[in-house]
Amino acid sequence: PPPPVRACRSALVRGFRSKSAKMMRWTAPFKRLAQAGVETARTNRLGSRLYTPMIKFRAGSTALGDRSAEELLSQLRSVIGKDSSSSLLQLSNEWFGRADKDRSMQLVAEELSSLMAEVGLPLEGKEVQTFFEVFDINKSGSVSYAEFTATLRGEMPQFAASLAFMNQYRGHYPSAMVSSGTDLAIFDKAEAEEWIESLDAVIQHHGPTRTRFMLHELMDEAVRKGVKVSPPITTPMINSIPTSVEPVYPGDIAMERRVSNLVRWNAAVMVSDGNKRAMGVGGHIGTFASICDVWEVGMNHFFRGKAYGGGQGDQIYMQGHASPGAYARAYLEGRLSLERIMNFRQEVGGKGVSSYPHPRLMPDFWENPTVSMGIGPLVAVTQARFFRYLHLRGMADTSACRVWCFIGDGEMDEPESIYAIARAGYERLNNLIMIVNCNYQRLDGPVRGNSKVIQEFEGVFRGAGFDCIKLIWGSEWNKLVDNDPDGRFIEVLERTPDGDCQRYAAKQDGALLRKEMFDDNGLGDRVAHLTDAELISAYMQPGGHDHKKIYSAMLQAEKNAESGGRPSVILAKTLKGFSLATFQGRNTVHQQKTMKDDELMGFRTVLDIPLTDEQIKSGGENQGGEFFRNPGPDSPEVKYMCEQRHKLGGFYPTRQPAKVSSIIEIPETGTYTLFDKGNPKPMSTTMAFAGLLRKLMKMGDFGKRCVPMVTDEARTFGMNAFFHEFKIHAPFGQHYTPVDHDILMKYSEAPDGQILQEGISEAGALSTWIACGTSYASQGCPMLPFFIYYSMFGFQRVGDFIWQAADARSRGFLLGATAGRTTLNGEGLQHQDGHSNLFAISNPACIAWDPAFSYELAYIIEDGIYKMWGQDKDLIYYISLYNENHPMPEVPKHLTCGVATKEAVLKGLYKFQEAPSDKAMTVRVISSGSIMQQALGAVALLAEYGVGVEIWSATNIGELNREAFKAERYSRLHPMEPKKSCWVNDCLGDYDGVTVISSDNISQYHQLIEKYCGGDVVNLGTDGFGRSDTREKLRRFFEIDSESICVGALTALARQGKVDPKVAQEAIEKFGLKYERQDITMDNDWP
């Protein structure tokens, strides 16, 4: 189209996009008027205000009544294009005003003609029908707004250049930067031109395919000879280990295949049989079937057990959906009984096995949870990094420990997986080996049906700095690849989409494969010597199911770990549901939970399992037990697999946590009394924590095991003084002079640095925290992590990682600093936290605290260290820290319900301050955190009204609720015994007065104890979105300041008839409190 029309189309596209969201709001008033039948009012309103044409039609060369469809459309575009925003606004509102008369949202010819007259394009005579037919695309006799705008807009412009290359699957997309060239140093211009001429000659005489392969060969050779040049991020789609250099297989391969078949069979039957006997328990058959051979080669030759030496063996992060394979092998090894695997996913009775790798459920078996997609890879990366940290700091020998991480190709979509790859690359974690199970399938369908996922992943991993080992083709198919003299067959493989590759595997049709992959590409002669059956058989045995190819790839990865400087990845091509003929490679394979008799028989035949048809049809004896095959401890297969594991240091997986209480001396109680006497000088609980942590870090062997962690906010939390004293961990040292090198608290890095500065990634930091908090089990080396961060970016942002930490039985401290919706006053909605303590109670292993004073904080940390290391409890302590300075009082001397203050603090609630005895009335105010200062401020205000105040500090409302819930359950199930009490009820239950609960948390947090408080309760919390302002204004807005506490108490007393309601009303007016308050975040809809 000519430039004016193109401009008009662009304006239309922009206009329609920007106005569409508001369109219904504009037309709502007219719809209501039409429904009410007030046609006159509507017409007058439209005519007088909204629909006065802003651009009138200017006649062209053709007389009215004789214009063609093309002329009419062009003139309409001109009318709208001159002032598109206002014209489109008129047109869209008028359209819906007319179309809504009969609720059809469509116009007939006469209505469309009338509309055009309104916007400045009158139609006469036959033009009405001519114009209408242009827009009536489906010939229905009426035109929808979508039809109108689509026709007016014309064909959509091309979205992006990449769409022009949608049929190109290899990843060799053109780049607009090629034409710009590069400005490199040219030492000899004539020589450079000769090289370019040589390249031209190769392209001319041998073609681009041979040229591409030759350049790859030259790049590889240059790297081998020490030339510092980055290799291309993608290479031809061939195995990285050539057949000619494959090592001799060290084991009995026939025996190992029999073992693999037994493991694969038992894993599949475990899921199928379990679902037949306990319908709905679920499980996955296809995933382990695809990765079984890689897993078994690793078990027989690579995965190091706890007794291997040079540390506590390897850590393996298994694909969660493949967990039946680990159980099946442990059953053959004699580590799991038949009863347990027959109770797959049936754990309540204590005789089953868990659905996925869950150390919390199977603490002697699993070490690493993995099934929350993406988290496993990231934790694996930080585990490898933490092993190096332990070694460089001299805390543990991890020289022979590797981390193996299995990832599904669909799992690579997770952002945590991609970040994990980048981090492993820049950390140069050569002790990390990732294995991507490239079976081309997600849960519903193909991972990348239109492209080549292995090539894509290679680019990602190589670009991040990994050594990439492609394990694609099995031995038989690889013969065709090796005998490809011109590279044409490899190019066919590269441009065959993964979706088609999956289809060939599912169809298992050699004739189809021959036609589409070979005959249609002029390569029929390459496979003329193979029958269809031989051809499809070769295709159905990719590299991930060829033990020799697998061994070669894993051996190279092991060599990289021992002597290389990069992490390694193996991209293993497999078939999902391998050997399960009826559903392997199909989109439904992931949902396959059971197998029919004929499927079991076919599976049995393929794997050569000694079961008769009658045994399968009868369902086996002992409720399915006959389905499982275990040849016994004296059989050659079991002896072989156990011997191989003995060579590698023991069975795997297995978890052997150290008993920390027996090997570590924890600090004495006196260590934590530094705040007992109080301090009139204002300070925050954040600063109190920094002081206590520094003291702990200087306590000999225990201090060395304390690991402070920050994401990049140490200065915010008052920990910048730690940099010079304890140093930031940097495995390669500090090879630059920091800008602050000439001051005392300079930024100091060292390989043996104690501080873990994680960068701006809470997910990465939590992953490191998990590695640190589980080191007592992974390496028998207890380390105690203290991770301090913006509290809003904890449970809300990375709550799944904290759940992972609980599952992994991590031990340590999470410090939610800058807590409080009004205390972190300037940061606004995205930073102000008032709900982390409520979130925390959803995690059973997490104990969440909200201390107001420094001595409370010290007692809490002492209690956490004692429980985690003195009693070996797998707990997480979450502590809210605030950045508001105020004087710190001394520890109260009085008792709370007969209990000393320290003990009461750790119970979660204690009386901080008695009410004066000279007041006629008394109320209780319960508070925590920084709002405790507002509660104390309310004492004087209420005293003016003759009301005394008893102040209570609620250090842990969550634990008060948990204890009360347990007491209620006990009483419910012991009706013959007296009702069991709980601490919160002991303290607050026997009371008929007024209790005000206020903190910097939302009110739902306070509700956890509200029903256990006697009398009437006033609940004041920070419900709603945060916003920026002064603390005073924010606390007034959320009604948690001293004045709001005072008014809340007076109003409740008035309701009880203890004061005149006028007193409360006068206080409201005196303090300037109002019911109406503006809240833009909720459209002023505030209860």
Side-chain angles (χ1 to χ4, degrees), residues 683-686 822-823 882-886 888 930-931 933-934 1031-1032 1035:
M683 69 182 301
S684 67
T685 51
T686 303
T822 67
T823 306
Y882 297 84
N883 64 348
E884 183 174 8
N885 294 326
H886 55 80
M888 293 294 174
S930 60
I931 301 306
Q933 299 304 306
Q934 302 302 311
R1031 286 173 179 152
E1032 293 74 18
R1035 286 165 182 169

Side-chain angles (χ1 to χ4, degrees), residues 887-936:
M888 293 294 174
E890 66 176 341
V891 179
K893 300 294 192 297
H894 59 260
L895 303 179
T896 299
C897 298
V899 173
T901 296
K902 181 176 182 179
E903 182 181 350
V905 165
L906 300 177
K907 282 178 170 288
L909 180 69
Y910 72 100
K911 186 188 295 184
F912 172 73
Q913 182 174 294
E914 296 276 8
S917 59
D918 60 341
K919 303 298 180 184
M921 293 170 289
T922 299
V923 297
R924 295 186 306 203
V925 176
I926 303 173
S927 191
S928 63
S930 60
I931 301 306
M932 177 61 77
Q933 299 304 306
Q934 302 302 311
L936 293 171

Side-chain angles (χ1 to χ4, degrees), residues 371-595:
V371 81
S372 187
M373 296 294 179
I375 294 183
L378 184 49
V379 177
V381 168
T382 55
Q383 183 71 269
R385 175 173 175 259
F386 195 73
F387 279 179
R388 185 175 64 187
Y389 171 90
L390 291 174
H391 196 88
L392 291 175
R393 287 198 58 216
M395 303 303 295
D397 176 12
T398 61
S399 58
C401 300
R402 293 84 53 89
V403 176
W404 300 79
C405 179
F406 287 80
I407 317 173
D409 48 2
E411 189 175 2
M412 289 289 291
D413 290 340
E414 293 284 358
E416 292 90 349
S417 297
I418 299 303
Y419 170 62
I421 295 165
R423 184 162 189 179
Y426 70 68
E427 291 275 4
R428 287 178 269 173
L429 297 172
N430 61 299
N431 60 340
L432 173 70
I433 301 169
M434 288 186 165
I435 300 174
V436 184
N437 181 6
C438 298
N439 57 38
Y440 294 175
Q441 291 182 250
R442 290 197 193 103
L443 278 63
D444 290 332
V447 176
R448 301 284 189 274
N450 286 316
S451 62
K452 306 298 293 183
V453 74
I454 289 179
Q455 298 298 88
E456 173 193 325
F457 293 165
E458 180 188 27
V460 171
F461 279 101
R462 286 171 71 99
F466 274 68
D467 281 326
C468 187
I469 303 167
K470 290 199 284 192
L471 173 61
I472 308 175
W473 313 119
S475 296
E476 294 303 315
W477 190 266
N478 203 59
K479 292 176 182 177
L480 300 175
V481 177
D482 287 343
N483 291 287
D484 181 29
D486 52 11
R488 290 172 58 204
F489 178 48
I490 294 174
E491 290 214 326
V492 169
L493 294 173
E494 289 180 333
R495 67 171 179 260
T496 302
D498 284 353
D500 281 336
C501 294
Q502 178 192 348
R503 176 168 55 89
Y504 298 145
K507 297 295 184 183
Q508 301 177 55
D509 186 340
L512 174 68
L513 180 63
R514 184 188 301 274
K515 177 184 180 302
E516 294 191 5
M517 186 171 286
F518 295 92
D519 293 346
D520 291 354
N521 292 287
L523 300 175
D525 59 315
R526 305 285 181 93
V527 292
H529 62 291
L530 298 175
T531 65
D532 289 346
E534 291 171 333
L535 182 61
I536 195 64
S537 176
Y539 182 80
M540 297 296 287
Q541 292 280 337
H545 298 293
D546 187 314
H547 284 226
K548 289 184 178 180
K549 300 289 185 184
I550 296 167
Y551 179 81
S552 299
M554 297 183 83
L555 181 64
Q556 183 60 55
E558 186 175 67
K559 290 179 180 177
N560 295 346
E562 292 174 353
S563 58
R566 300 179 175 196
S568 298
V569 63
I570 298 173
L571 301 176
K573 185 182 187 308
T574 64
L575 295 179
K576 194 162 189 175
F578 179 75
S579 69
L580 300 164
T582 55
F583 52 84
Q584 64 182 350
R586 299 187 182 276
N587 284 338
T588 57
V589 63
H590 190 81
Q591 282 72 35
Q592 196 77 27
K593 314 297 181 187
T594 60
M595 292 186 288

Side-chain angles (χ1 to χ4, degrees), residues 68-345:
S68 66
E70 290 77 14
E71 287 180 296
L72 290 169
L73 192 58
S74 177
Q75 289 175 2
L76 177 60
R77 287 170 175 160
S78 298
V79 168
I80 294 176
K82 187 173 181 181
D83 191 353
S84 60
S85 296
S86 57
S87 297
L88 285 171
L89 173 61
Q90 294 180 48
L91 191 152
S92 62
N93 280 288
E94 176 66 15
W95 180 287
F96 286 104
R98 294 171 183 271
D100 199 39
K101 290 178 182 179
D102 60 1
R103 312 298 297 171
S104 68
M105 296 301 179
Q106 298 189 351
L107 301 182
V108 296
E110 293 74 13
E111 290 174 319
L112 183 62
S113 175
S114 175
L115 174 62
M116 292 302 101
E118 289 281 355
V119 298
L121 180 64
L123 304 174
E124 295 186 5
K126 63 180 182 180
E127 290 178 344
V128 174
Q129 189 61 31
T130 300
F131 187 78
F132 178 78
E133 290 175 355
V134 172
F135 296 95
D136 188 13
I137 298 172
N138 60 5
K139 308 304 179 186
S140 65
S142 62
V143 175
S144 69
Y145 194 70
E147 289 178 311
F148 177 79
T149 55
T151 304
L152 187 62
R153 180 188 63 219
E155 292 184 4
M156 286 290 286
Q158 182 172 303
F159 174 71
S162 61
L163 297 186
F165 306 98
M166 288 180 66
N167 295 323
Q168 196 166 323
Y169 306 113
R170 293 176 306 207
H172 304 299
Y173 300 117
S175 170
M177 295 183 65
V178 173
S179 59
S180 65
T182 52
D183 189 13
L184 300 175
I186 300 178
F187 302 98
D188 188 326
K189 188 173 182 179
E191 182 184 38
E193 290 176 351
E194 288 177 3
W195 278 105
I196 294 173
E197 289 175 2
S198 299
L199 178 63
D200 291 338
V202 174
I203 296 172
Q204 180 179 356
H205 291 93
H206 298 284
T209 300
R210 175 61 190 134
T211 305
R212 181 166 71 95
F213 278 70
M214 183 197 71
L215 290 174
H216 278 293
E217 293 166 7
L218 287 174
M219 291 283 283
D220 289 344
E221 188 63 24
V223 172
R224 280 192 290 271
K225 292 184 175 178
V227 178
K228 295 181 179 179
V229 58
S230 297
I233 63 170
T234 56
T235 60
M237 196 169 177
I238 58 177
N239 290 342
S240 299
I241 311 297
T243 305
S244 59
V245 299
E246 286 180 0
V248 176
Y249 198 82
D252 184 337
I253 196 166
M255 178 68 74
E256 291 184 21
R257 284 172 177 159
R258 291 203 300 274
V259 171
S260 290
N261 287 348
L262 283 169
V263 173
R264 185 182 274 115
W265 168 266
N266 285 330
V269 168
M270 187 186 312
V271 178
S272 178
D273 183 61
N275 278 272
K276 288 177 180 178
R277 290 183 294 104
M279 185 179 297
V281 297
H284 306 278
I285 297 174
T287 300
F288 182 72
S290 66
I291 202 63
C292 173
D293 295 299
V294 178
W295 177 259
E296 282 301 306
V297 171
M299 279 294 184
N300 288 319
H301 300 285
F302 295 101
F303 301 154
R304 295 170 180 170
K306 298 293 185 183
Y308 184 85
Q312 294 283 317
D314 293 345
Q315 288 285 300
I316 304 176
Y317 290 77
M318 187 181 196
Q319 274 183 270
H321 294 126
S323 60
Y327 299 141
R329 175 171 251 271
Y331 167 58
L332 294 178
E333 294 166 339
R335 298 197 295 137
L336 289 178
S337 67
L338 176 62
E339 182 183 28
R340 291 200 70 180
I341 64 170
M342 285 182 65
N343 283 283
F344 173 65
R345 292 195 172 201

